[in-house]
């Protein structure tokens, strides 16, 4: 019997709610043991659910799985001659999880224990996070490939991002793998991104191996985590076979794993064994014409564009001519040629002469290749289904910088520079869209969230681009004749004393509380449904309301009718009255009006936002005013005023702060906020 059936029987009063009923974790463990002992004849017997004994209920799920597998196995035996071949020497897996649940750290330990690095070789932490922004922010942004060897089996490993804004990366790489390692924190349990990536993996019928990571934490609660994961599977409509997932307990940072939290091995060997045993080897068709779906694009200064994907059928060879086609353009075929061919092995690309079906490889020599296209033989150009990802939910306007300081700090400043860079981004970022703006020098860029777009903005400014950014706006759509906007599920972990402040903050932004549960160490977990529009600028307000102790995680939920007007920032902005250099004398009086963003010696211009006003509405002031020079000696009674520390606005802070009549000036050296000259002046609190 599945976990959901037991829950339904509990509601009907058939199954006791007393502590005699074991947890889902215990039921699953016994069910997995009983699965191998259950005879098909026993399964075939029709027994009313209400008459099942407690032991039978615990074994029901395993029996149903065994019953489903028995005919399949028999069918496989009877048709073994016609079935596709499998490559028993390869396993293709992706590691998926919520942000900060330890994916990249676990990959580090897997690489170390598979002898990828020399004993005397220095190895940086989170070696897969090679991007500078990834190391600075401590998150994975781009999916990356590597491979390890275990007992003669090559395991292709794909490390994926954990933040919801980069879910497009996860959706793409799932096409290359046959199974996934779903990492779940031993304390936090399933989180919003856990639900998203699990839903995608189950929809593609990928084998899921649950890894309860960070098992060495003092507050670890593995049974609760497995129970919560089991319920998540049932909520997502998983089949009985999918719910019968294997569980491995691990500590990525210590490089240990085990099949139970009480019997941990000194290595990750139990995890490797589980991957080889549970994840099916890739089914391949060696004799069929070549087919390889391009799932990712890399770039090398010497080799140019590098197409990465899994060979679905046939064999790709170095130097052979081939055809390139796409299911989006039926009948359109163009020629290409493989200059160089690589496979992933031991944390590097290894040049090879050919790659057979089932393996993941990298191909160079095709400079116009794109994600979602198929490399196929010239004799049989048949395209594989292209990759589809979910639509963007947030947009921003990118345009040429028009501030008084325009062109002074950037290398690429024209609209052509901006368009070329955005076009290049579209080649590998399928979750992003670019459309023409209201003017020739403006472009509307859409993505999964402000972090998704913020990473692009930060990358561009480091490359030397100078431009302006408009405020983030949600993307609405028509559903059944009604105007709808995106909603998200928000989970907040907060100390108990700040629960009231958080509930009030979300209520102001039309958020609806769905659940409230006690968490660990005096914290409470709150779950809300809230319009994406209400989340814009919420992060800073939440940190203020919880004294910096609140943790917010969100994931896209659905499109719902527009929530109406939402109150956003209640405070206005302090605006520079003239262009010049900021003086300490002017700041002495200006700081009484609010918190400033500038320091003595900074250069500002008229219309630049130099601080946040204590009241609603905007206030212009002069932060460049100098003290008048006279022949009179200063009075001894004059008091020196201490200057408050300025709040230095980073890119993320600026994107959180701006409202409809403001924009961010982005240069390689500075982040400035200015009033939009084309917008109507603000007369009160900001609303969206």
């Amino acid at each position: 019997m599945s976990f959901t059936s037991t829950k339904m029987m509990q509601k009907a009063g058939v199954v006791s709610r007393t502590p005699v009923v074991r947890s889902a974790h215990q039921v699953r463990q016994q069910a997995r043991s009983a699965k191998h002992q259950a005879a098909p004849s026993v399964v075939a017997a029709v027994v009313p659910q209400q008459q099942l004994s407690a032991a039978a209920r615990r074994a029901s799920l395993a029996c149903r799985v065994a019953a489903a597998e028995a005919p399949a196995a028999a069918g496989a035996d009877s048709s073994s001659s016609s079935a596709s071949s499998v490559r028993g020497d390869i396993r293709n897996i992706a590691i998926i999880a919520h942000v900060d649940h330890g994916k990249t750290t676990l990959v580090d330990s897997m690489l170390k224990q598979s002898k990828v690095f020399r004993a005397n070789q220095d190895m940086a932490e989170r070696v897969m996070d090679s991007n500078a922004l990834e190391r600075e922010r401590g998150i994975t942004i781009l999916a990356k490939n590597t491979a390890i060897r275990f007992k003669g089996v090559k395991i292709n490993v794909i490390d994926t991002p954990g933040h919801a804004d980069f879910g497009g990366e996860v959706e793409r790489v799932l096409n290359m793998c046959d199974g996934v390692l779903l990492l779940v924190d031993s304390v936090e349990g399933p989180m919003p991104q856990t639900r998203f990536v699990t839903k995608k993996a189950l929809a593609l019928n990928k084998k899921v191996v649950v890894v309860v990571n960070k098992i060495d934490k003092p507050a670890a609660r593995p049974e609760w985590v497995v129970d919560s994961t089991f319920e998540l599977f049932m909520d997502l409509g998983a089949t009985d076979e999918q719910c019968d997932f294997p569980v491995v307990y691990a500590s990525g940072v210590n490089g240990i794993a085990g099949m139970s939290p009480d019997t941990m091995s000194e290595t990750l060997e139990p995890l490797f064994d589980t991957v080889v045993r549970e994840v099916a080897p890739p089914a391949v068709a060696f004799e069929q014409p070549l087919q390889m779906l391009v799932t990712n694009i890399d770039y090398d200064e010497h080799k140019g564009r590098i197409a990465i994907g899994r060979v679905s059928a046939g064999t790709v060879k170095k130097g052979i001519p081939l055809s390139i086609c796409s299911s989006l353009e039926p009948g359109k075929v163009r020629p290409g040629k493989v200059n160089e061919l690589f496979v992933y092995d031991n944390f590097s690309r290894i040049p090879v002469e050919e790659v057979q079906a089932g393996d993941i490889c990298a191909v160079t020599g095709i400079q116009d290749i794109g994600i979602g296209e198929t490399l196929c033989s010239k004799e049989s150009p048949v395209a594989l289904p292209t990759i589809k990802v979910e639509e963007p939910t947030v947009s921003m306007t990118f345009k040429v910088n028009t501030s008084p300081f325009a062109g002074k700090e950037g290398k690429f400043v024209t609209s052509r520079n901006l368009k070329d860079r955005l076009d290049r981004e579209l080649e590998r970022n399928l979750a992003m869209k670019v459309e023409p703006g209201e003017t020739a020098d403006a472009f509307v860029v859409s993505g999964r969230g402000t972090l998704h777009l913020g990473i692009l903005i930060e990358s561009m400014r480091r490359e030397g681009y100078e431009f302006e950014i408009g405020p983030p706006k949600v993307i609405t759509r028509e559903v059944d004749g009604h105007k709808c906007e995106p909603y998200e599920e928000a989970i907040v972990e907060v100390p108990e004393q700040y629960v009231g402040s958080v509930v009030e903050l979300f209520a102001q932004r039309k958020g609806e509380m769905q659940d409230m549960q006690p968490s660990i160490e005096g914290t409470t977990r709150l779950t809300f449904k809230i319009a994406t529009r209400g989340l814009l600028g919420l992060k800073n307000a939440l940190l203020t309301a919880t004294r910096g102790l609140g943790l917010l995680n969100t994931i896209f939920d659905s499109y719902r009718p527009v929530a109406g007007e939402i109150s956003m920032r209640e405070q206005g902005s302090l605006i520079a009255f003239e262009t010049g250099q900021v003086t300490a004398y002017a700041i002495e009086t200006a700081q009484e009006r609010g918190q400033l963003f500038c320091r003595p010696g900074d250069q500002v211009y008229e219309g630049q936002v130099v601080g946040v006003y204590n009241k609603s509405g905007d206030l212009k002031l002069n932060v460049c005013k100098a003290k008048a020079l006279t022949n009179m000696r200063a009075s001894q009674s004059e008091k020196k005023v201490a200057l408050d520390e300025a709040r230095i606005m980073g890119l993320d802070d600026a994107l959180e702060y701006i409202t409809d009549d403001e924009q961010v000036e982005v240069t390689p050296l500075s982040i400035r906020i200015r009033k939009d000259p084309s917008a109507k002046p603000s007369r009160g609190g900001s609303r969206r």
Side-chain angles (χ1 to χ4, degrees), residues 55 204 346 511:
L204 294 172
N346 293 341

Side-chain angles (χ1 to χ4, degrees), residues 283-297:
V284 296
F286 293 115
E287 305 303 325
Q288 297 296 321
L290 169 65
Q291 282 184 311
M292 170 182 159
L293 182 67
V294 178
T295 311
N296 204 353
I297 294 291

Side-chain angles (χ1 to χ4, degrees), residues 371-443:
I371 293 176
E373 293 186 311
T374 303
L375 304 182
C376 45
S377 66
K378 295 191 67 175
E379 296 77 17
S380 179
V382 179
L384 294 169
T386 191
I387 300 172
K388 295 182 180 180
V389 298
E390 292 189 0
E391 294 293 315
T393 57
V394 176
S395 67
M396 295 183 189
T397 299
F398 288 44
K399 56 185 178 181
V400 173
N401 188 11
T402 58
S403 80
F405 292 171
K408 294 184 177 181
E409 300 176 355
K411 180 180 179 182
F412 306 106
V413 298
T414 66
S415 60
R416 180 177 293 275
N417 295 147
L418 199 56
K419 183 179 185 303
D420 290 345
R421 176 61 178 83
L422 293 175
D423 287 343
R424 290 202 307 273
E425 185 67 22
L426 289 178
E427 292 176 354
R428 72 166 315 277
N429 200 332
L430 293 187
M432 192 170 286
K433 290 186 177 181
V434 177
E435 300 170 321
E438 296 180 355
T439 61
D441 62 351
F443 307 91

Side-chain angles (χ1 to χ4, degrees), residues 64-355:
R64 286 162 58 183
V65 173
E69 290 178 349
D77 293 338
S78 62
S79 59
S80 58
S81 59
S82 60
S84 299
S85 301
V86 296
R87 290 198 61 177
D89 61 332
I90 288 180
R91 300 293 187 275
N92 298 316
I93 63 169
I95 302 183
I96 58 178
H98 184 79
V99 64
D100 200 32
H101 278 197
K103 297 181 305 300
T104 307
T105 303
L106 180 64
V107 173
D108 283 354
S109 294
M110 294 172 71
L111 290 170
K112 288 178 182 177
Q113 295 189 21
S114 59
K115 308 301 182 183
V116 169
F117 303 99
R118 300 188 310 272
N120 62 344
Q121 183 176 351
D122 291 334
M123 178 181 170
E125 291 185 3
R126 305 195 324 273
V127 67
M128 294 292 286
D129 287 345
S130 54
N131 185 287
L133 280 174
E134 291 178 322
R135 290 196 169 276
E136 289 177 16
R137 295 174 178 255
I139 60 174
T140 301
I141 298 172
L142 303 173
K144 303 175 189 66
N145 295 71
T146 189
I148 58 178
R149 298 275 178 174
F150 177 73
K151 295 182 178 178
V153 177
K154 178 184 178 183
I155 304 176
N156 286 310
V157 181
I158 309 171
D159 186 22
T160 65
H163 199 283
D165 282 21
F166 308 110
E169 293 280 315
V170 181
E171 293 178 84
R172 285 194 292 107
V173 302
L174 287 178
N175 289 275
M176 288 194 289
C177 65
D178 300 295
V180 297
L181 298 185
L182 176 62
L183 264 66
V184 187
D185 189 282
S186 65
V187 177
E188 295 180 354
M191 296 292 281
Q193 181 69 358
T194 311
R195 185 181 188 90
F196 173 80
V197 296
T198 304
K199 178 181 178 181
K200 295 298 179 183
L202 294 177
L204 294 172
N205 200 28
K206 305 296 182 183
K207 179 65 178 181
V208 180
V209 177
V210 175
V211 180
V212 181
N213 197 28
K214 304 183 181 180
I215 195 66
D216 55 322
K217 282 186 174 181
R221 41 181 181 172
E223 287 195 10
W224 176 85
V225 169
V226 175
D227 287 352
S228 300
T229 306
F230 195 18
E231 291 196 31
L232 171 62
F233 274 57
M234 299 307 299
D235 290 344
L236 295 175
T239 64
D240 289 338
E241 291 80 6
Q242 291 172 330
C243 289
D244 190 38
F245 53 80
V247 180
V248 181
Y249 303 87
S251 171
V253 69
N254 294 320
I256 59 175
M259 302 310 294
S260 76
D262 301 323
T263 56
M264 301 293 292
S265 172
E266 295 182 355
T267 66
L268 291 175
E269 186 166 334
L271 177 60
F272 293 138
D273 281 330
T274 303
V275 169
V276 174
R277 181 179 65 252
E278 298 287 348
V279 177
V284 296
F286 293 115
E287 305 303 325
Q288 297 296 321
L290 169 65
Q291 282 184 311
M292 170 182 159
L293 182 67
V294 178
T295 311
N296 204 353
I297 294 291
D298 202 352
Y299 184 81
D300 184 89
E301 292 183 359
H302 305 289
K303 298 180 176 63
R305 294 170 68 81
I306 302 174
I308 301 171
R310 171 177 163 178
V311 182
S312 300
T315 303
V316 58
K317 299 180 180 180
K318 179 180 177 180
I320 64 167
L322 43 74
S323 297
I324 305 165
C325 53
S326 172
S327 60
L328 299 178
E329 299 176 326
K332 184 177 180 180
V333 180
R334 66 183 192 275
K337 182 180 179 181
V338 178
N339 286 349
E340 293 183 273
L341 189 61
F342 302 88
V343 294
Y344 292 90
D345 205 353
N346 293 341
F347 198 61
S348 60
R349 289 197 188 110
I350 308 298
V352 293
E353 294 297 319
E354 67 176 35
V355 177

